[in-house]
Amino acid sequence: MPRLCDICHEARAIVRRPKTGQSICKECFFYVFETEVHNTIVDSKLFKPGDRVGIGASGGKDSTVLAYVMKTLNDRYGYGLDLYLLSVDEGIAGYRDDSLETVKRNREQYGLPLLVVSYEQLYGWSMDSIVAAVGRKNNCTFCGVFRRQALDRGALMLDLDHIVTGHNADDVAETILMNIFRGDISRLGRCTEIATTGEGYIVRSKPFKYAYEKEIVMYAYLRKLDYFSTECTYSPNAYRGYAREFLKKLERVRPSAILDIIHSGEAMHVAKDVQLPSLDRCQRCGYISSNSICKACVLLEGLERGIPKLGISRTKQGVEAGPRETDLVHFEKLRQDALEMRKTRQKSAACPQSACACRSEGSTKNCS
């Protein structure tokens, strides 16, 4: 006799939850998955009505499920959010170009605006050209640094208040392990936070912080969502892969290991007498940095000078604080542009007349 759902006790169970061990039916699985994400959002007070929220969209399972769930919860519970898809094109032929086609389909399926920013556009280098220069050993360092800054740049272009990413419980646990293995105390403290403040007023958060990767895969499969499943061409050599394999072995022995590691990381506190790096602004591009020149600018200088290991090697090599031959657009300009966009929207929203002259772009007239 088929086993019945542990929740409704009516429908046939088709899913065994890795997180709880419950055997449940499809509809109950949808309900508990979505409700747990909603509870994470509400308990952490991630958003407020009127927030402009960008969903980091890669076309993969995590970001596709995140886009679907964010739209569903926004409609169901009346969050009052303006949602956008924000994608980064790293320039990896045969991988990112294909996954971006999935994102474009998601744009139509979910009715959400999409902005794509590219490494080529922002930095003058694609990942394919970077790998050709540095090889496959350290390419993920470049990609991680550039992607994070690219998301913040895209967020300012859209004047977003918030970026949400599809990082799940497995990702968070892996990051905790990696920072422990490397002895990186400053990052260890930040990586367990569900929300962090980025450029200007932009907050970055992880609504899937407590969602298991296996359950996200099951959700995408059972919902028949359109997502891209090919692994990045350059990721097999990534350091994270070793932490992931170690975590999977732990999970086989103890299924709760993922959440146990996250809760342990949350409980860790750095002693008051430990000096952590202070954050400032990069003297070249204005991005948040613990050094006078941010990591992205150092890596770019290494590429342009033909010494790609400049930002990777532990040895100190000369990096002057002055401008490079081709500097990035300064973050202060992006912030000012975003503030002007916000003022224009606020002015338009306050105008009682739909065809008022003050709504026209660049108009200096006031409403009568």
Side-chain angles (χ1 to χ4, degrees):
M1 181 178 177
R3 179 167 179 169
L4 295 181
C5 173
D6 289 343
I7 295 177
C8 69
H9 306 292
E10 295 178 357
R12 183 171 68 90
I14 64 168
V15 171
R16 182 176 174 82
R17 296 194 71 192
K19 183 190 290 187
T20 64
Q22 290 175 305
S23 296
I24 56 179
C25 67
K26 181 168 71 172
E27 293 305 317
C28 284
F29 173 64
F30 292 155
Y31 174 78
V32 296
F33 183 88
E34 292 163 4
T35 301
E36 286 178 1
V37 176
H38 169 65
N39 290 339
T40 298
I41 290 171
V42 172
D43 292 346
S44 303
K45 300 177 181 175
L46 294 185
F47 313 116
K48 61 183 184 299
D51 276 353
R52 295 165 63 86
V53 179
I55 302 166
S58 66
K61 63 184 185 318
D62 297 312
S63 66
T64 300
V65 171
L66 179 63
Y68 180 89
V69 170
M70 283 296 299
K71 177 171 171 51
T72 299
L73 298 181
N74 191 39
D75 293 342
R76 180 184 299 166
Y77 295 105
Y79 292 163
L81 308 177
D82 293 328
L83 299 177
Y84 299 81
L85 297 176
L86 176 58
S87 294
V88 177
D89 180 2
E90 299 94 340
I92 304 174
Y95 169 69
R96 183 55 74 210
D97 45 359
D98 291 339
S99 70
L100 284 174
E101 291 303 313
T102 304
V103 176
K104 292 173 185 175
R105 292 195 298 272
N106 292 159
R107 172 186 58 190
E108 304 304 321
Q109 293 158 354
Y110 306 150
L112 299 177
L114 167 66
L115 172 67
V116 179
V117 293
S118 72
Y119 284 7
E120 189 77 47
Q121 164 199 351
L122 298 176
Y123 310 119
W125 291 76
S126 68
M127 270 310 297
D128 285 342
S129 59
I130 290 171
V131 171
V134 307
R136 291 185 173 233
K137 185 176 180 182
N138 295 302
N139 60 83
C140 287
T141 298
F142 287 82
C143 197
V145 170
F146 289 166
R147 188 191 303 112
R148 181 173 185 83
Q149 192 174 125
L151 277 174
D152 282 335
R153 288 178 176 274
L156 286 170
M157 292 175 191
L158 288 171
D159 183 27
L160 300 179
D161 301 290
H162 205 115
I163 303 172
V164 291
T165 60
H167 292 98
N168 55 52
D170 299 55
D171 296 323
V172 176
E174 288 165 11
T175 304
I176 292 170
L177 290 174
M178 289 167 64
N179 287 326
I180 290 173
F181 295 158
R182 291 187 297 216
D184 196 331
I185 301 299
S186 60
R187 283 197 177 94
L188 181 59
R190 295 195 303 269
C191 73
T192 57
E193 297 175 2
I194 194 167
T196 55
T197 302
E199 275 305 312
Y201 43 75
I202 302 168
V203 177
R204 187 188 294 242
S205 69
K206 304 181 280 278
F208 285 172
K209 178 182 175 182
Y210 301 111
Y212 274 37
E213 183 179 35
K214 289 178 181 176
E215 296 198 354
I216 292 172
V217 173
M218 287 192 291
Y219 186 93
Y221 173 76
L222 294 173
R223 281 284 189 198
K224 296 181 170 57
L225 299 183
D226 182 4
Y227 66 95
F228 184 78
S229 58
T230 302
E231 186 180 25
C232 174
T233 310
Y234 303 128
S235 68
N237 297 313
Y239 179 53
R240 178 175 290 273
Y242 299 102
R244 179 177 296 123
E245 187 59 34
F246 178 64
L247 184 63
K248 289 186 184 302
K249 290 178 180 178
L250 286 177
E251 189 186 5
R252 283 195 288 270
V253 177
R254 182 183 175 88
S256 65
I258 292 173
L259 288 182
D260 291 342
I261 290 171
I262 292 175
H263 293 320
S264 296
E266 292 170 334
M268 291 182 184
H269 296 283
V270 180
K272 292 181 180 179
D273 58 344
V274 175
Q275 179 133 14
L276 297 176
S278 58
L279 295 179
D280 202 346
R281 296 282 177 185
C282 174
Q283 294 180 19
R284 285 184 179 168
C285 72
Y287 194 63
I288 295 173
S289 175
S290 58
N291 297 304
S292 59
I293 307 297
C294 74
K295 189 75 167 178
C297 285
V298 173
L299 291 173
L300 280 172
E301 177 162 333
L303 289 170
E304 291 164 0
R305 289 169 55 183
I307 44 175
K309 292 186 178 180
L310 181 64
I312 300 171
S313 171
R314 292 183 181 273
T315 60
K316 297 283 186 180
Q317 299 191 56
V319 180
E320 299 295 333
R324 298 192 330 271
E325 184 176 340
T326 53
D327 271 335
L328 301 175
V329 176
H330 202 282
F331 266 90
E332 187 56 37
K333 182 182 185 312
L334 292 173
R335 283 191 286 271
Q336 290 303 319
D337 290 346
L339 286 173
E340 287 302 316
M341 290 167 57
R342 180 158 300 202
K343 288 177 183 177
T344 301
R345 277 200 318 277
Q346 291 171 343
K347 185 177 180 181
S348 297
C351 176
Q353 303 176 45
S354 60
C356 178
C358 76
R359 287 177 178 257
S360 62
E361 186 175 351
S363 174
T364 58
K365 296 181 180 180
N366 295 320
C367 294
S368 56

